[in-house]
Amino acid sequence: MDLKKQFSDKALEDFKLIDQAVKDGDEQAYAKLMERYKRPVYHMILKMVRNVDDAEDLTIEAFAKAFKNLHRFKKDYTFSTWLFRIATNNAIDFIRKKRLETMSLDSSFTDDNGEAVHIDVEDHNLNPQEVAIKSQKIELIQMFVTKLPAKYQKLVRLRYFKEFSYEEIAQELNAPLGTVKAQLHRARELMYDLVKNKKEHI
């Protein structure tokens, strides 16, 4: 198979970077791949979730998942196709979960027999795939959270593990909302750096 006939120059450069990242553990290769695709991935996710903070979080998760599984990447299609599929699936899972969370705990519906059916969000068990996705997400973030400076660790745990909103975090920590947003933004930047240097953390 002649890769040159099948793929663009950029795709071939990506393949080279992937080889350097996987075989040689080259941190610069990870960094270049992230540099190339961070903005496009972010903008694609932003269109899906329509929230800047969530899009930033999901972009980190997409790269963390992609880099963790980079050794499984096959050159049957471009890296960008593969990465965007991971990012899209992750965003869809997030959207599904958010829709579930928008139900109030005491929502009631009427079934076909006219009986009132009470819905408790806690009763909605995740299916095995959703459980796997959630545990992988938590496992990935846990790898990074202990590497962060102490002042960011609690923020990240509340945001990613307990899935608090920004307002809830501000209330929990008795801190101004602006401070919480600024510190979480900084924590995200630090996590991007950790994702780029993944070979030390996996």
Side-chain angles (χ1 to χ4, degrees):
M1 180 174 72
D2 186 353
L3 287 175
K4 289 185 181 172
K5 284 181 185 168
Q6 226 179 322
F7 296 108
S8 68
D9 289 345
K10 186 176 184 186
L12 293 171
E13 283 170 26
D14 286 346
F15 291 160
K16 208 179 288 181
L17 288 170
I18 289 163
D19 286 341
Q20 288 168 4
V22 174
K23 292 172 186 169
D24 308 326
D26 184 346
E27 288 176 12
Q28 283 305 308
Y30 282 112
K32 278 179 192 161
L33 286 168
M34 183 179 272
E35 201 177 294
R36 281 184 165 201
Y37 294 107
K38 182 177 165 186
R39 298 320 296 170
V41 166
Y42 167 77
H43 286 300
M44 179 197 71
I45 293 172
L46 184 60
K47 279 181 191 165
M48 293 175 73
V49 300
R50 297 176 189 170
N51 177 289
V52 171
D53 299 316
D54 291 335
E56 285 278 7
D57 293 340
L58 290 166
T59 301
I60 291 177
E61 286 174 25
F63 277 100
K65 284 183 181 179
F67 287 170
K68 185 174 186 182
N69 294 294
L70 203 55
H71 61 288
R72 295 194 184 122
F73 174 75
K74 302 278 188 291
K75 295 171 184 172
D76 301 333
Y77 31 68
T78 62
F79 172 70
S80 58
T81 301
W82 183 74
L83 174 64
F84 275 69
R85 193 176 299 149
I86 289 171
T88 304
N89 289 341
N90 196 41
I92 288 167
D93 291 325
F94 171 83
I95 291 163
R96 280 187 189 137
K97 183 172 172 300
K98 280 290 176 196
R99 283 196 182 137
L100 179 68
E101 283 180 348
T102 57
M103 287 186 192
S104 76
L105 288 172
D106 58 355
S107 293
S108 62
F109 298 86
T110 306
D111 67 12
D112 294 339
N113 301 322
E115 297 287 322
V117 179
H118 290 279
I119 302 248
D120 185 338
V121 173
E122 296 301 315
D123 290 342
H124 278 258
N125 293 321
L126 296 174
N127 68 37
Q129 190 184 4
E130 287 169 331
V131 171
I133 289 162
K134 188 171 174 64
S135 64
Q136 188 185 23
K137 168 183 164 177
I138 288 174
E139 176 200 336
L140 286 166
I141 302 298
Q142 271 174 341
M143 283 193 299
F144 303 135
V145 74
T146 54
K147 315 266 180 199
L148 293 172
K151 73 171 179 174
Y152 298 123
Q153 289 189 23
K154 187 165 187 185
L155 279 170
V156 169
R157 286 196 173 97
L158 289 172
R159 176 72 176 159
Y160 289 91
F161 301 159
K162 296 196 173 180
E163 299 181 341
F164 277 29
S165 68
Y166 280 64
E167 290 76 13
E168 287 168 334
I169 294 170
Q171 210 171 348
E172 175 79 12
L173 300 179
N174 198 19
L177 186 59
T179 303
V180 167
K181 285 189 172 182
Q183 290 191 346
L184 269 167
H185 180 75
R186 177 65 186 137
R188 269 201 294 264
E189 290 300 314
L190 292 170
M191 285 198 288
Y192 274 126
D193 290 340
L194 291 170
V195 169
K196 284 191 289 197
N197 301 330
K198 269 188 80 58
K199 76 183 182 73
E200 292 176 15
H201 310 297
I202 288 184

